[in-house]
Amino acid sequence: SLLGRDTRRVSNHFIMPGAIDKSQTDKLFVEKYDATAEKGLAPITIPASDVTLKTGVFVGQCKGPDFAVIIEGKIKNLTISGCENIGVVVDDIVTTVEIINCKKVQVQAKNSAGSWIVDKCDRTTIYLPEGSVKDKAVVVSCMSSATNVLHSTPGGEDMVENAIPEQIQSTFTLGAKPVHEVVIPDAE
């Protein structure tokens, strides 16, 4: 149920206005939705009854503000590509969350999501679930700026915010392997 938006259901995925139909098995698509002129939108909700462990969800070319996608249930993977000023909330992800070429995107996993890729993004905020942080959550960042990762403290009373470093210093010396170090600029 896409909460009153002009959409249509095709096979096993949702087609948003202006979207290209890319029907594939076990894929759900939310594409090319521009909410810049709309206020107070209800989130697009993909119910647990529409997903399985084999379902991959693609959110692409969507613009906010006030644009959110809620994915209920456990899915295989989530890809967010070319989006701006949106939020995505998902219950569980078995493999990977990919955030590609996005600006000002917030993604929250509620129960589990241990592998994240942030590629060519600006101002990305990731909310890691406590269960994933206990086991081990991995975030790989490439050519991205202002990426912040938040997770709860032990006991869940507060949130901790960690920035992903943007600068790496590489030192080369004749006859030795290169040394790569993260550079954290002094905050003055």
Side-chain angles (χ1 to χ4, degrees), residues 8-164:
R8 63 186 190 276
R9 176 103 183 199
V10 177
S11 69
N12 195 29
H13 69 279
F14 298 104
I15 301 296
M16 300 305 296
I20 299 168
D21 184 359
K22 297 180 180 178
S23 299
Q24 295 181 24
T25 358
D26 297 321
K27 296 272 186 205
L28 292 173
F29 294 85
V30 178
E31 293 187 291
K32 295 185 180 177
Y33 195 84
D34 189 345
T36 52
E38 301 183 45
K39 300 283 186 214
L41 290 174
I44 291 177
T45 300
I46 299 173
S49 59
D50 286 349
V51 300
T52 69
L53 289 175
K54 294 181 180 180
T55 304
V57 176
F58 177 83
V59 179
Q61 305 301 321
C62 295
K63 283 188 173 184
D66 298 330
F67 185 80
V69 177
I70 298 173
I71 304 161
E72 299 172 343
K74 189 178 276 194
I75 62 172
K76 179 181 176 185
N77 65 303
L78 170 63
T79 301
I80 304 165
S81 178
C83 294
E84 187 174 338
N85 206 14
I86 72 163
V88 178
V89 178
V90 61
D91 286 348
D92 293 283
I93 299 172
V94 176
T95 59
T96 305
V97 178
E98 293 179 289
I99 308 165
I100 305 163
N101 200 26
C102 293
K103 292 180 183 175
K104 203 173 178 186
V105 171
Q106 297 183 16
V107 184
Q108 177 182 357
K110 291 165 69 176
N111 300 319
S112 65
S115 178
W116 299 74
I117 297 171
V118 181
D119 189 9
K120 298 177 192 151
C121 294
D122 182 37
R123 294 174 286 166
T124 303
T125 304
I126 297 171
Y127 296 89
L128 295 175
E130 186 175 342
S132 292
V133 177
K134 280 182 185 177
D135 294 334
K136 179 173 86 171
V138 176
V139 178
V140 176
S141 175
C142 175
M143 296 175 21
S144 296
S145 61
T147 303
N148 291 307
V149 178
L150 288 89
H151 61 84
S152 62
T153 58
E157 295 177 12
D158 204 4
M159 293 293 283
V160 176
E161 182 174 6
N162 297 288
I164 302 286

